[in-house]
Amino acid sequence: MSARTGQLVAALALVALGTGAALAQSRGGTGTGRYTAEQAAAGAQVYAINCAMCHGARMEGRGEIPPLTGRFVANWAGRPVADLFAYVSRAMPQHAPGSLAPEQNAHLVALLLQANGVPAGARELPADEAALQRITFDPPGPAL
């Protein structure tokens, strides 16, 4: 990993941790975790290499590329995490759809959950769509 990529990963991890914690606190989130903090940190590394060039270093989106926080929640809240995992798995990254391993996609989804206020827990998010059908994307508080 280059020094620039390492800096981007560190910055993204801090932004995701801060954003997720702030959202959870502001929404009164106390739900059980769906992923581990370590898994979301691994997702930050995958994101920096494969996603940040389109979605931005802080998940803010660029031009027609949507942000991955804020209004993002309205598209996925209340749905099985399997839906988000399946989408990421088949359609991302845009320059090489479907090229990431299932574990990498699970790490990315963990990062997305964290960045949108879903608290971390003790168990890793599985990389199995059948298991993910039983987990709902429930950000704390109302969808944005």
Side-chain angles (χ1 to χ4, degrees):
M1 177 181 328
S2 72
R4 175 76 178 129
T5 302
Q7 291 170 341
L8 181 60
V9 167
L12 181 62
L14 289 174
V15 168
L17 286 170
T19 301
L23 282 171
Q25 186 175 25
S26 71
R27 294 179 184 169
T30 58
T32 58
R34 305 284 193 207
Y35 62 90
T36 65
E38 295 82 10
Q39 192 176 27
Q45 292 179 359
V46 175
Y47 181 90
I49 295 166
N50 297 284
C51 312
M53 75 273 296
C54 293
H55 288 282
R58 294 181 314 275
M59 300 185 184
E60 71 275 18
R62 294 183 177 165
E64 293 184 24
I65 305 294
L68 299 176
T69 58
R71 68 179 184 190
F72 173 85
V73 172
N75 294 328
W76 299 101
R79 294 172 59 181
V81 173
D83 292 356
L84 178 57
F85 179 85
Y87 177 76
V88 170
S89 296
R90 87 171 171 277
M92 296 292 139
Q94 190 174 24
H95 65 277
S99 63
L100 300 179
E103 183 178 86
Q104 290 175 301
N105 290 318
H107 293 329
L108 284 171
V109 171
L111 176 66
L112 293 171
L113 293 174
Q114 180 183 61
N116 286 285
V118 177
R123 290 183 289 183
E124 281 203 353
L125 189 71
D128 171 54
E129 282 190 53
L132 292 171
Q133 281 293 336
R134 296 186 296 271
I135 301 171
T136 304
F137 182 5
D138 288 325
L144 299 175

